[in-house]
Amino acid sequence: MRVAIAGAGNVGRSIAAELVENGHEVLLIDKNPRAIKSDTLPQAEWLLADACELSSLEEAGIDSCDVAIAATGDDKANLVMSLLCKTEFGVPRTVGRVNHPKNEWLFNEVWGVDVAVSTPRLMSALVEEAVTVGDLVRLLTFHEGAANLVEMTLPGDSPCVGLRIGDLDWPGDVVLVAIIRDGHAQAPDTDGTLETGDELLFVTAQDYERQLADMLSPRRGGIAVANLATGTPRVGTI
């Protein structure tokens, strides 16, 4: 997969290093000459250019990229790059870094952003996940709000502990997509059982969240809204 990253600061370089290690082709773009440190990541391509200009994106061959990541420290620049990549070059996937929480509402499909990543949101979600055993935590909202990715750490007093997964009748269109047990993710096995402390990941419409929470943890039944991002995630992409 070919990925373009605007912003070659600490955040951009860290993302690039991870992607290169995973075998992806990476192009780092920055308009600041001091940010071009090709010796730190020689496996990546480097381009001194302004990612907010059409000519720069053409020079970068942005239309050949599968993903464009706007990771600068300027929200305005991240929005402009995302919009140009999506509308002018048809990049299939755009990811926008949100630096200031007050700007989160702008990072959506109107500005060409498929996935918005907000550090404050991410940190709050991790806190919620750590302290709310038995509460349903909303991690991510898919495109247009049709479905959410939610998580619950199963409490010991849940009526579902010890039950066969295939015998559980989930409400509505709820789908159990993964179980994290002892730090390892696994696909749900219909012949397997749920255990205390399992982290359960579901995809569900918001209308069924309350029923799901009551089913898994009727004494608590809380729902913590801690969105990590909004977008239309695809398997195998960022």
Side-chain angles (χ1 to χ4, degrees):
M1 182 168 64
R2 180 171 169 78
V3 182
I5 302 174
N10 291 330
V11 173
R13 290 199 305 272
S14 296
I15 297 170
E18 184 79 16
L19 291 172
V20 166
E21 185 176 345
N22 291 335
H24 301 294
E25 297 179 23
V26 176
L27 168 65
L28 279 158
I29 308 170
D30 205 296
K31 64 180 181 180
N32 185 350
R34 290 179 295 180
I36 304 299
K37 301 178 180 179
S38 55
D39 56 319
T40 63
L41 195 62
Q43 306 96 319
E45 299 176 51
W46 295 74
L47 178 64
L48 177 61
D50 187 346
C52 293
E53 295 183 358
L54 277 172
S55 58
S56 297
L57 296 177
E58 289 175 354
E59 181 183 355
I62 206 75
D63 56 344
S64 66
C65 292
D66 302 289
V67 180
I69 302 175
T72 77
D74 185 340
D75 284 345
K76 294 188 296 294
N78 291 342
L79 286 171
V80 171
M81 185 219 178
S82 298
L83 184 63
L84 291 176
C85 287
K86 180 63 69 174
T87 60
E88 299 296 327
F89 298 95
V91 176
R93 192 86 176 140
T94 58
V95 180
R97 173 189 175 189
V98 184
N99 294 280
H100 300 290
K102 67 179 182 179
N103 295 328
E104 286 181 13
W105 66 278
L106 289 167
F107 284 75
N108 54 38
E109 67 278 1
V110 175
W111 277 94
V113 180
D114 292 319
V115 176
V117 180
S118 169
T119 300
R121 289 284 187 181
L122 174 60
M123 294 181 69
S124 67
L126 293 175
V127 170
E128 292 283 359
E129 183 179 6
V131 301
T132 53
V133 173
D135 281 352
L136 198 69
V137 180
R138 190 182 304 155
L139 298 177
L140 185 148
T141 299
F142 290 92
H143 183 57
E144 296 181 354
N148 297 322
L149 178 67
V150 300
E151 180 268 353
M152 177 183 284
T153 299
L154 201 64
D157 58 356
S158 170
C160 295
V161 170
L163 295 184
R164 179 177 176 272
I165 294 174
D167 293 334
L168 293 169
D169 185 18
W170 305 116
D173 56 359
V174 171
V175 178
L176 175 63
V177 294
I179 300 172
I180 301 175
R181 181 178 295 164
D182 299 326
H184 300 284
Q186 60 188 56
D189 181 355
T190 55
D191 291 324
T193 58
L194 298 182
E195 299 180 8
T196 299
D198 281 352
E199 292 182 52
L200 308 177
L201 294 175
F202 298 89
V203 173
T204 175
Q206 186 169 331
D207 292 345
Y208 295 107
E209 287 182 359
R210 174 61 61 186
Q211 295 178 49
L212 178 61
D214 290 341
M215 174 181 175
L216 294 171
S217 184
R219 294 186 183 181
R220 296 176 65 94
I223 298 176
V225 179
N227 286 342
L228 298 186
T230 57
T232 52
R234 304 172 187 171
V235 175
T237 66
I238 296 173

